[in-house]
Amino acid sequence: MENVFKYKQFTINQEHAAMKVGTDSDLLGSLADGGKQILDIGTGTGIISLMMAQRFPEAQITAVEIDDNAIIDAAENFRNSPFADRLTLHHTSFQDYLQTTGNQQLYDCIVCNPPYFDKSTECPDQGRTRARHSSSLPFDILASGAYKLLKDGGVFSVCIPPEVLSNFRAECLFAGFCEKRIYGIMSFLGKPPKRYVLVFKKGHSEILLMEKHALRNSDGSRSDWYKDVMREFHV
């Protein structure tokens, strides 16, 4: 895996972070709903914050990251980007950020590529464990915390795998969210979705929009849908 990943308007240095740039971050960064005040929970290298900054030129983005190594990459990537004056980075856990912020700052939009593996499959690398395992940020705390920090009508967007879809949706509905949009992302047409991008709303129920898309054509080439979604990012 290369330590430097170039996008059209910014560059990601991922030398230190345990979790590297991947399809999940690309999907969330390009499909998440936005707003003028955006919170990125568990920013990692900062990739999703940077994508949101590019997509929403009026937005001020706050990013939270607990991992000591990831914060090094995120700080450098933010500093070297054309959006540096609109990005703020906090080296803390979401739980601590939630406690210290209270209701002093409310957001239009929250994005998160959450840890989703259970405790039984934890790996010895602490950085990867924090980034990958729900023990570091349980779904109920994430959902209720996001709900608390959103303005009325605000949106919460995540990218998760199918094996935790039911549990995650249940926690978000229990927290008070309504489902706004569900993207089922397949590797190839006809295959079961490999990832879901979910968009929840804090407010009245709307018609739930459900879409399914494939990342690749049968010959392995990128699908027109994926190329279109990433057109403003991929070099």
Side-chain angles (χ1 to χ4, degrees):
M1 178 78 66
E2 293 183 5
N3 283 335
V4 176
F5 203 96
K6 291 184 180 296
Y7 286 79
K8 284 186 176 179
Q9 294 191 33
F10 56 85
T11 297
I12 296 295
N13 185 320
Q14 50 185 2
E15 180 180 355
H16 302 91
M19 298 304 292
K20 310 302 184 183
V21 169
T23 304
D24 287 12
S25 52
D26 278 352
L27 289 170
L28 183 57
S30 58
L31 296 175
D33 280 21
K36 289 191 174 180
Q37 293 289 338
I38 297 174
L39 174 65
D40 178 11
I41 302 169
T43 195
T45 62
I47 174 62
I48 295 169
S49 287
L50 289 163
M51 292 179 75
M52 297 297 280
Q54 180 179 323
R55 287 178 61 208
F56 303 100
E58 302 293 313
Q60 294 289 328
I61 294 133
T62 301
V64 174
E65 176 55 53
I66 188 175
D67 187 72
D68 295 345
N69 291 316
I71 208 81
I72 297 171
D73 290 340
E76 178 182 344
N77 294 332
F78 284 5
R79 186 171 58 249
N80 293 334
S81 79
F83 321 116
D85 61 339
R86 296 192 285 117
L87 296 160
T88 303
L89 183 60
H90 293 274
H91 187 187
T92 186
S93 68
F94 177 61
Q95 290 92 324
D96 286 346
Y97 182 77
L98 185 63
Q99 223 173 18
T100 56
T101 302
N103 291 322
Q104 298 173 34
Q105 172 67 64
L106 295 180
Y107 296 92
D108 303 299
C109 159
I110 295 177
V111 290
C112 182
N113 193 1
Y116 48 77
F117 290 113
D118 65 32
K119 196 171 181 65
S120 65
T121 57
E122 288 189 2
C123 60
D125 183 302
Q126 187 180 51
R128 287 182 67 81
T129 292
R130 281 177 173 168
R132 291 160 58 90
H133 294 269
S134 56
S135 58
S136 64
L137 181 53
F139 290 163
D140 59 337
I141 293 175
L142 174 59
S144 61
Y147 191 87
K148 180 181 179 181
L149 292 180
L150 279 171
K151 300 175 184 176
D152 289 339
V155 288
F156 175 40
S157 301
V158 300
C159 183
I160 59 171
E163 56 265 30
V164 300
L165 177 64
S166 295
N167 287 346
F168 195 87
R169 290 172 76 185
E171 291 293 353
C172 286
L173 294 174
F174 184 77
F177 283 108
C178 295
E179 294 180 303
K180 182 179 180 182
R181 202 157 59 253
I182 298 177
Y183 298 93
I185 312 297
M186 305 168 280
S187 297
F188 297 91
L189 278 176
K191 297 289 186 182
K194 187 178 180 181
R195 286 290 182 270
Y196 288 90
V197 173
L198 310 177
V199 182
F200 298 91
K201 181 181 177 183
K202 182 177 180 177
H204 288 298
S205 180
E206 309 180 0
I207 296 174
L208 172 60
L209 300 177
M210 303 183 72
E211 303 179 18
K212 284 188 177 180
H213 300 283
L215 296 175
R216 297 192 177 277
N217 301 312
S218 57
D219 63 0
S221 60
R222 287 178 178 174
S223 68
D224 288 342
W225 174 82
Y226 187 51
K227 285 191 289 186
D228 188 59
V229 162
M230 296 304 299
R231 191 176 307 279
E232 297 304 315
F233 296 105
H234 281 172
V235 175

Coordinates of all heavy atoms in Angstrom, one line a residue, residues 68-130:
D68 N -3.1 8.1 18.1 CA -1.9 9.0 18.1 C -1.3 9.1 16.7 O -0.7 10.1 16.3 CB -0.9 8.5 19.1 CG -1.4 8.6 20.5 OD1 -2.3 9.3 20.8 OD2 -0.7 8.0 21.4
N69 N -1.2 7.9 16.0 CA -0.6 7.9 14.7 C -1.4 8.5 13.6 O -1.0 9.2 12.8 CB -0.2 6.4 14.4 CG 0.9 5.9 15.2 OD1 1.9 6.5 15.5 ND2 0.7 4.7 15.7
A70 N -2.7 8.2 13.6 CA -3.6 8.7 12.6 C -3.7 10.3 12.7 O -3.7 10.9 11.7 CB -5.0 8.2 12.8
I71 N -3.6 10.8 13.9 CA -3.7 12.3 14.1 C -2.5 13.0 13.4 O -2.6 14.1 12.9 CB -3.7 12.6 15.6 CG1 -4.5 14.0 15.7 CG2 -2.4 12.7 16.2 CD1 -6.0 13.8 15.7
I72 N -1.3 12.3 13.3 CA -0.2 12.9 12.6 C -0.5 13.0 11.1 O -0.2 14.1 10.6 CB 1.1 11.9 12.8 CG1 1.4 11.9 14.3 CG2 2.2 12.5 12.0 CD1 2.5 10.8 14.6
D73 N -1.0 12.0 10.5 CA -1.4 12.1 9.1 C -2.5 13.1 8.8 O -2.4 13.9 7.9 CB -1.8 10.7 8.6 CG -0.7 9.7 8.5 OD1 0.5 10.1 8.5 OD2 -1.0 8.5 8.5
A74 N -3.5 13.0 9.7 CA -4.7 14.0 9.5 C -4.2 15.4 9.6 O -4.6 16.3 8.7 CB -5.8 13.7 10.5
A75 N -3.4 15.7 10.6 CA -2.9 17.1 10.7 C -2.1 17.6 9.5 O -2.3 18.7 9.0 CB -2.0 17.2 12.0
E76 N -1.2 16.7 9.0 CA -0.4 17.0 7.8 C -1.3 17.2 6.6 O -1.2 18.2 5.8 CB 0.6 16.0 7.6 CG 1.5 16.2 6.3 CD 2.5 15.1 6.0 OE1 2.7 14.3 6.9 OE2 3.0 15.1 4.9
N77 N -2.3 16.3 6.4 CA -3.1 16.4 5.2 C -4.0 17.6 5.3 O -4.3 18.2 4.2 CB -4.0 15.1 5.2 CG -3.1 13.8 4.9 OD1 -2.1 13.9 4.3 ND2 -3.6 12.7 5.4
F78 N -4.5 17.9 6.4 CA -5.3 19.2 6.6 C -4.5 20.4 6.3 O -4.9 21.3 5.5 CB -5.9 19.3 8.0 CG -7.1 18.3 8.3 CD1 -7.5 17.4 7.3 CD2 -7.7 18.4 9.5 CE1 -8.6 16.6 7.6 CE2 -8.8 17.6 9.8 CZ -9.2 16.6 8.8
R79 N -3.3 20.4 6.9 CA -2.4 21.6 6.7 C -2.0 21.8 5.3 O -1.9 23.0 4.8 CB -1.2 21.4 7.6 CG -0.3 22.6 7.7 CD 0.8 22.4 8.8 NE 1.6 21.1 8.5 CZ 1.5 20.1 9.3 NH1 0.7 20.0 10.3 NH2 2.3 19.0 9.0
N80 N -1.8 20.8 4.5 CA -1.3 20.9 3.2 C -2.5 21.0 2.1 O -2.2 21.1 0.9 CB -0.5 19.7 2.8 CG 0.8 19.7 3.6 OD1 1.3 20.7 4.0 ND2 1.4 18.5 3.8
S81 N -3.7 21.0 2.6 CA -4.8 21.0 1.6 C -5.2 22.5 1.3 O -4.9 23.4 2.1 CB -6.0 20.3 2.2 OG -6.7 21.1 3.2
P82 N -6.0 22.7 0.3 CA -6.5 24.0 0.0 C -7.6 24.4 0.9 O -8.1 25.6 0.8 CB -6.9 24.0 -1.5 CG -7.2 22.5 -1.7 CD -6.3 21.8 -0.8
F83 N -8.1 23.5 1.8 CA -9.2 23.8 2.6 C -8.8 24.0 4.1 O -9.6 23.9 5.0 CB -10.2 22.6 2.6 CG -10.4 22.0 1.2 CD1 -10.0 20.7 1.0 CD2 -10.9 22.8 0.2 CE1 -10.1 20.1 -0.3 CE2 -11.0 22.2 -1.1 CZ -10.7 20.9 -1.3
A84 N -7.5 24.2 4.3 CA -6.9 24.2 5.7 C -7.7 25.2 6.6 O -7.9 24.9 7.8 CB -5.5 24.6 5.7
D85 N -8.1 26.3 6.1 CA -8.8 27.3 7.0 C -10.2 26.9 7.4 O -10.8 27.6 8.2 CB -8.8 28.7 6.3 CG -9.5 28.7 5.0 OD1 -9.7 27.6 4.4 OD2 -9.9 29.8 4.6
R86 N -10.7 25.8 6.8 CA -12.1 25.4 7.1 C -12.1 24.1 7.9 O -13.1 23.5 8.1 CB -12.9 25.3 5.9 CG -13.1 26.6 5.1 CD -14.2 26.5 4.1 NE -13.7 25.8 2.9 CZ -14.2 24.7 2.4 NH1 -15.2 24.0 3.1 NH2 -13.8 24.1 1.3
L87 N -10.9 23.6 8.3 CA -10.8 22.3 9.0 C -10.2 22.5 10.4 O -9.2 23.1 10.6 CB -9.9 21.4 8.1 CG -10.3 21.0 6.7 CD1 -9.2 20.5 5.9 CD2 -11.4 19.9 6.8
T88 N -10.8 21.8 11.3 CA -10.4 21.8 12.7 C -10.2 20.4 13.2 O -11.2 19.6 13.0 CB -11.4 22.6 13.6 OG1 -11.5 23.9 13.1 CG2 -10.8 22.7 15.1
L89 N -9.1 20.1 13.8 CA -8.8 18.7 14.2 C -8.7 18.6 15.7 O -8.0 19.4 16.4 CB -7.5 18.3 13.6 CG -7.1 16.8 13.8 CD1 -8.1 15.8 13.3 CD2 -5.7 16.6 13.1
H90 N -9.4 17.6 16.3 CA -9.3 17.4 17.8 C -8.8 16.0 18.0 O -9.3 15.0 17.5 CB -10.7 17.5 18.4 CG -11.3 18.9 18.4 ND1 -11.1 19.8 19.3 CD2 -12.1 19.5 17.5 CE1 -11.7 20.9 19.1 NE2 -12.4 20.8 17.9
H91 N -7.7 15.9 18.9 CA -7.1 14.7 19.2 C -7.8 14.2 20.5 O -7.4 14.4 21.6 CB -5.6 14.9 19.4 CG -4.9 13.6 19.7 ND1 -3.6 13.5 20.0 CD2 -5.3 12.3 19.6 CE1 -3.2 12.3 20.1 NE2 -4.2 11.5 19.9
T92 N -8.9 13.4 20.3 CA -9.7 12.9 21.5 C -10.6 11.8 21.0 O -10.8 11.6 19.8 CB -10.5 14.1 22.1 OG1 -11.2 13.7 23.3 CG2 -11.5 14.6 21.1
S93 N -11.2 11.1 21.9 CA -12.2 10.1 21.6 C -13.6 10.9 21.3 O -13.8 12.0 21.8 CB -12.4 9.1 22.7 OG -13.0 9.7 23.8
F94 N -14.5 10.2 20.6 CA -15.8 10.8 20.4 C -16.5 10.9 21.8 O -17.2 11.9 22.0 CB -16.6 10.0 19.5 CG -18.0 10.5 19.3 CD1 -18.3 11.8 18.8 CD2 -19.1 9.7 19.6 CE1 -19.6 12.3 18.6 CE2 -20.4 10.2 19.5 CZ -20.6 11.5 19.0
Q95 N -16.3 10.0 22.6 CA -17.0 10.0 23.9 C -16.5 11.2 24.7 O -17.4 11.9 25.3 CB -16.7 8.7 24.7 CG -17.3 7.5 24.2 CD -16.4 6.7 23.2 OE1 -15.7 7.3 22.4 NE2 -16.5 5.4 23.2
D96 N -15.2 11.5 24.7 CA -14.8 12.7 25.5 C -15.2 14.0 24.8 O -15.5 15.0 25.4 CB -13.2 12.7 25.6 CG -12.8 11.6 26.6 OD1 -13.6 11.2 27.4 OD2 -11.6 11.3 26.6
Y97 N -15.2 14.0 23.4 CA -15.6 15.2 22.7 C -17.1 15.5 23.0 O -17.5 16.6 23.2 CB -15.4 15.0 21.2 CG -15.8 16.2 20.4 CD1 -14.9 17.3 20.3 CD2 -17.0 16.2 19.7 CE1 -15.3 18.4 19.6 CE2 -17.3 17.4 19.0 CZ -16.5 18.4 18.9 OH -16.8 19.6 18.2
L98 N -17.9 14.4 23.1 CA -19.3 14.6 23.4 C -19.5 15.2 24.7 O -20.3 16.1 24.9 CB -19.9 13.2 23.3 CG -21.5 13.1 23.4 CD1 -22.2 13.8 22.3 CD2 -21.9 11.6 23.4
Q99 N -18.7 14.7 25.7 CA -18.8 15.2 27.1 C -18.4 16.7 27.2 O -19.1 17.5 27.9 CB -17.9 14.4 28.0 CG -18.6 14.0 29.3 CD -17.8 13.0 30.1 OE1 -16.6 12.8 29.9 NE2 -18.4 12.4 31.0
T100 N -17.3 17.0 26.5 CA -16.8 18.4 26.7 C -17.6 19.4 25.8 O -17.7 20.6 26.2 CB -15.3 18.5 26.3 OG1 -15.2 18.0 24.9 CG2 -14.5 17.7 27.2
T101 N -18.2 18.9 24.7 CA -18.9 19.9 23.8 C -20.3 20.1 24.3 O -20.8 21.2 24.3 CB -19.0 19.3 22.4 OG1 -17.7 19.1 21.9 CG2 -19.7 20.2 21.5
G102 N -21.0 19.1 24.8 CA -22.4 19.2 25.3 C -23.2 19.7 24.2 O -23.2 19.2 23.0
N103 N -24.0 20.8 24.4 CA -24.9 21.4 23.4 C -24.3 22.7 22.9 O -25.0 23.5 22.3 CB -26.3 21.6 23.9 CG -27.0 20.2 24.1 OD1 -26.8 19.3 23.3 ND2 -27.8 20.1 25.2
Q104 N -23.0 22.9 23.2 CA -22.4 24.2 22.8 C -22.2 24.3 21.3 O -22.2 25.4 20.8 CB -21.0 24.4 23.5 CG -21.1 24.4 25.0 CD -19.7 24.4 25.6 OE1 -18.8 24.9 25.1 NE2 -19.6 23.7 26.8
Q105 N -22.0 23.2 20.6 CA -21.9 23.2 19.2 C -22.8 22.1 18.6 O -22.7 21.0 18.9 CB -20.4 22.9 18.8 CG -20.2 22.7 17.3 CD -20.4 24.0 16.5 OE1 -19.7 24.9 16.7 NE2 -21.4 23.9 15.6
L106 N -23.7 22.6 17.7 CA -24.6 21.6 17.0 C -24.2 21.7 15.5 O -23.8 22.7 15.0 CB -26.0 22.0 17.2 CG -26.6 21.9 18.6 CD1 -28.0 22.3 18.7 CD2 -26.3 20.5 19.2
Y107 N -24.4 20.5 14.9 CA -24.0 20.4 13.5 C -25.2 20.1 12.5 O -26.2 19.6 12.9 CB -23.0 19.2 13.4 CG -21.7 19.5 14.2 CD1 -21.6 19.0 15.5 CD2 -20.7 20.1 13.6 CE1 -20.4 19.3 16.2 CE2 -19.5 20.4 14.3 CZ -19.4 20.0 15.6 OH -18.3 20.2 16.3
D108 N -25.0 20.5 11.3 CA -25.9 20.2 10.2 C -25.8 18.8 9.7 O -26.7 18.2 9.2 CB -25.7 21.2 9.0 CG -25.8 22.6 9.4 OD1 -26.9 23.0 9.9 OD2 -24.8 23.4 9.2
C109 N -24.5 18.3 9.8 CA -24.2 17.0 9.2 C -23.1 16.3 10.1 O -22.2 17.0 10.5 CB -23.7 17.2 7.8 SG -22.7 15.9 7.1
I110 N -23.3 15.0 10.3 CA -22.2 14.2 10.9 C -21.9 13.0 10.0 O -22.8 12.4 9.5 CB -22.7 13.7 12.3 CG1 -22.8 14.9 13.3 CG2 -21.6 12.8 12.9 CD1 -23.3 14.6 14.7
V111 N -20.6 12.8 9.8 CA -20.2 11.6 9.0 C -19.3 10.7 9.9 O -18.6 11.2 10.7 CB -19.5 12.0 7.7 CG1 -20.4 12.7 6.7 CG2 -18.3 13.0 8.0
C112 N -19.4 9.4 9.6 CA -18.6 8.5 10.4 C -18.4 7.2 9.6 O -19.4 6.7 9.1 CB -19.2 8.2 11.8 SG -18.2 7.1 12.8
N113 N -17.2 6.8 9.5 CA -16.9 5.4 9.0 C -16.6 4.6 10.2 O -15.5 4.5 10.6 CB -15.7 5.5 8.0 CG -15.5 4.2 7.2 OD1 -16.3 3.3 7.4 ND2 -14.5 4.1 6.4
P114 N -17.6 4.0 10.9 CA -17.5 3.6 12.3 C -16.8 2.2 12.4 O -16.8 1.4 11.5 CB -18.9 3.4 12.8 CG -19.7 3.1 11.5 CD -19.0 3.9 10.4
P115 N -16.1 2.0 13.5 CA -15.6 0.6 13.8 C -16.7 -0.3 13.9 O -17.7 0.0 14.6 CB -14.8 0.8 15.1 CG -15.4 2.0 15.8 CD -15.9 2.9 14.7
Y116 N -16.6 -1.5 13.4 CA -17.8 -2.4 13.3 C -17.5 -3.9 13.7 O -18.4 -4.7 13.9 CB -18.4 -2.4 12.0 CG -17.5 -2.5 10.8 CD1 -17.0 -3.8 10.4 CD2 -17.1 -1.4 10.1 CE1 -16.1 -3.9 9.4 CE2 -16.3 -1.5 9.0 CZ -15.8 -2.8 8.6 OH -14.9 -2.9 7.6
F117 N -16.2 -4.3 13.9 CA -16.0 -5.7 14.2 C -16.2 -5.8 15.7 O -16.0 -4.9 16.5 CB -14.5 -6.1 13.9 CG -14.2 -6.2 12.5 CD1 -13.4 -5.3 11.8 CD2 -14.9 -7.2 11.7 CE1 -13.2 -5.5 10.5 CE2 -14.6 -7.4 10.4 CZ -13.8 -6.5 9.7
D118 N -16.6 -7.0 16.2 CA -16.9 -7.2 17.6 C -15.6 -7.6 18.3 O -14.6 -7.8 17.7 CB -18.0 -8.3 17.8 CG -17.6 -9.7 17.4 OD1 -16.4 -10.0 17.4 OD2 -18.5 -10.5 17.0
K119 N -15.7 -7.6 19.6 CA -14.5 -7.7 20.5 C -13.8 -9.1 20.3 O -12.5 -9.1 20.4 CB -14.9 -7.6 21.9 CG -13.7 -7.3 22.9 CD -14.2 -7.0 24.3 CE -13.0 -6.7 25.2 NZ -12.3 -5.5 24.8
S120 N -14.5 -10.1 19.9 CA -13.9 -11.4 19.8 C -12.9 -11.5 18.6 O -12.0 -12.4 18.6 CB -15.0 -12.5 19.5 OG -15.6 -12.3 18.3
T121 N -12.9 -10.6 17.7 CA -12.0 -10.6 16.6 C -10.9 -9.5 16.6 O -10.3 -9.2 15.6 CB -12.7 -10.5 15.2 OG1 -13.5 -9.3 15.2 CG2 -13.7 -11.7 15.0
E122 N -10.7 -9.0 17.8 CA -9.7 -7.9 17.9 C -8.3 -8.4 17.6 O -7.9 -9.5 17.8 CB -9.7 -7.3 19.3 CG -11.0 -6.5 19.6 CD -10.9 -5.8 20.9 OE1 -9.8 -5.8 21.6 OE2 -11.9 -5.1 21.3
C123 N -7.5 -7.5 17.0 CA -6.2 -7.8 16.6 C -5.2 -7.1 17.6 O -5.6 -6.2 18.3 CB -5.9 -7.3 15.1 SG -6.1 -5.6 14.9
P124 N -3.9 -7.6 17.6 CA -3.0 -7.1 18.6 C -2.6 -5.6 18.4 O -2.1 -5.0 19.3 CB -1.8 -8.0 18.5 CG -1.9 -8.6 17.1 CD -3.4 -8.7 16.8
D125 N -2.7 -5.1 17.2 CA -2.3 -3.7 16.9 C -3.4 -2.8 17.4 O -4.6 -2.8 17.0 CB -2.2 -3.6 15.3 CG -1.7 -2.2 15.0 OD1 -2.4 -1.2 15.3 OD2 -0.7 -2.1 14.3
Q126 N -3.1 -2.0 18.4 CA -4.0 -1.1 19.1 C -4.7 -0.1 18.1 O -5.9 0.2 18.2 CB -3.4 -0.4 20.3 CG -4.4 0.4 21.1 CD -3.7 1.1 22.3 OE1 -2.8 1.8 22.1 NE2 -4.3 0.9 23.5
G127 N -3.9 0.4 17.2 CA -4.4 1.4 16.3 C -5.5 0.8 15.4 O -6.5 1.4 15.2
R128 N -5.2 -0.4 14.9 CA -6.2 -1.1 14.0 C -7.4 -1.5 14.8 O -8.5 -1.5 14.3 CB -5.5 -2.3 13.3 CG -4.6 -1.9 12.2 CD -4.0 -3.1 11.5 NE -5.0 -3.8 10.7 CZ -5.5 -3.5 9.5 NH1 -5.1 -2.4 8.9 NH2 -6.4 -4.2 8.9
T129 N -7.2 -1.9 16.1 CA -8.3 -2.3 16.9 C -9.2 -1.1 17.1 O -10.5 -1.2 17.0 CB -7.8 -2.8 18.3 OG1 -7.1 -4.0 18.1 CG2 -9.0 -3.0 19.2
R130 N -8.7 0.1 17.4 CA -9.5 1.3 17.6 C -10.3 1.6 16.4 O -11.4 2.0 16.4 CB -8.6 2.4 18.1 CG -8.2 2.4 19.5 CD -7.3 3.6 19.8 NE -7.1 3.7 21.2 CZ -6.1 4.5 21.7 NH1 -5.3 5.2 20.9 NH2 -6.0 4.6 23.0

